[in-house]
Amino acid sequence: MGDCCKSCMTRIPYATLIATVMCLIGVGIFCGTMYRGTSFAIIMLDQVFHLRLMWIEAVQMIFVVIGASMAALGLMILFVGFLATGATRYKVYRAWGSRVGGRISCAVFMGITYILKIVWILILCFLTVVTFIFTVFWNMCANPNVQSHKNCIDLTQFYFMFPAGVAQQDMNICETKVKAFCKDGVEKCEIMFILATVSCLLIILSLVHYLMCLAANYAHIRDHEKFQELQEIQNLTEMEYTTSSKDRF
């Protein structure tokens, strides 16, 4: 029983498993926070600025697709990691064709992971800008005069961020609109976008781990081919030595 457990433990790709857990956690938090954050933003834009952006709802569906795709990719890379770890590698990649297929699969996944890393870096840059903007709005809402409804929040200096259809009077947020903008909108969106930014960093870190694991698996499969050749040479040498010993006697 102990030998069986030890054999199973040596077949687990721990580095790839950790990267997969990080990826799944990051994608789950990212999709959940971005979906809720965009939902709060839609409500805030509608109530405060009387603005309805249909493309935001399409972005919400894109988040769901991204989450499912990243989860599927992580599980596939984990499967490749299992095949290239421990005694499993010696059984699966015994033939020449399987070794070539294993190296090609590792190379393809490395290419996909590298491209996805660039995409997630761009998403991180976008989220950083969005989080900064909502942080500025949050500081405006934290003004005691605004909270006591003595002053209005003047967003006319941010006119370039609004579509042409938004009236200038809607950019001056006063009295009843302050709660809809600050408490129900900016505060909730800010928290969601901060969590989304942190989860995006976690996803990028997991993709870096994936690249290292795939490169190591590629090297293991390639070295396994050399090991097989050395093993065959050793077997031939032993057979020749045995044959020559029998002929001598």
Side-chain angles (χ1 to χ4, degrees):
M1 187 65 179
D3 294 337
C4 182
C5 292
K6 185 178 180 180
S7 176
C8 292
M9 294 295 288
T10 56
R11 295 169 185 262
I12 298 176
Y14 293 101
T16 308
L17 183 61
I18 293 172
T20 303
V21 172
M22 292 170 56
C23 181
L24 294 178
I25 293 174
V27 169
I29 296 174
F30 177 83
C31 292
T33 53
M34 287 300 293
Y35 189 88
R36 288 182 61 83
T38 51
S39 298
F40 292 139
I42 289 173
I43 296 173
M44 185 261 291
L45 291 173
D46 188 25
Q47 292 181 351
V48 179
F49 302 105
H50 307 291
L51 184 63
R52 186 74 174 178
L53 299 177
M54 301 302 298
W55 59 268
I56 297 182
E57 297 178 358
V59 170
Q60 289 180 320
M61 296 304 300
I62 293 175
F63 292 150
V64 177
V65 174
I66 289 175
S69 301
M70 288 297 297
L73 177 67
L75 294 176
M76 285 189 289
I77 295 177
L78 180 62
F79 179 73
V80 172
F82 273 106
L83 294 179
T85 303
T88 307
R89 180 173 67 248
Y90 297 100
K91 294 181 180 180
V92 175
Y93 299 114
R94 185 182 299 274
W96 178 84
S98 60
R99 290 195 296 268
V100 172
R103 292 169 64 180
I104 292 175
S105 62
C106 288
V108 170
F109 280 121
M110 278 193 290
I112 295 173
T113 305
Y114 190 84
I115 294 173
L116 286 176
K117 187 182 73 171
I118 296 175
V119 172
W120 280 102
I121 289 175
L122 295 176
I123 295 175
L124 176 64
C125 295
F126 171 76
L127 280 175
T128 303
V129 174
V130 172
T131 304
F132 174 76
I133 293 173
F134 274 90
T135 302
V136 173
F137 291 161
W138 197 351
N139 291 330
M140 288 181 177
C141 293
N143 191 326
N145 292 329
V146 172
Q147 293 181 356
S148 60
H149 302 294
K150 292 181 181 179
N151 293 338
C152 298
I153 299 176
D154 187 9
L155 298 179
T156 53
Q157 66 267 30
F158 300 105
Y159 68 93
F160 56 89
M161 297 171 52
F162 295 90
V166 178
Q168 187 173 0
Q169 61 206 21
D170 290 334
M171 297 182 188
N172 291 318
I173 303 170
C174 301
E175 298 178 354
T176 57
K177 287 187 176 181
V178 172
K179 181 180 181 298
F181 179 75
C182 295
K183 192 68 178 178
D184 300 334
V186 172
E187 184 175 343
K188 294 180 179 179
C189 289
E190 173 72 5
I191 296 173
M192 293 295 106
F193 289 142
I194 289 175
L195 291 175
T197 304
V198 174
S199 65
C200 191
L201 286 171
L202 187 62
I203 293 171
I204 293 174
L205 186 60
S206 69
L207 290 174
V208 173
H209 282 207
Y210 276 139
L211 282 175
M212 293 188 293
C213 294
L214 287 169
N217 291 335
Y218 182 90
H220 288 158
I221 296 172
R222 182 191 59 191
D223 294 340
H224 179 67
E225 183 177 359
K226 296 179 181 178
F227 176 78
Q228 287 287 110
E229 293 176 355
L230 291 174
Q231 189 70 29
E232 292 175 358
I233 293 173
Q234 184 178 0
N235 293 335
L236 289 174
T237 304
E238 291 178 355
M239 290 176 62
E240 291 177 356
Y241 179 78
T242 304
T243 305
S244 61
S245 298
K246 290 181 179 180
D247 293 340
R248 184 182 304 172
F249 293 103

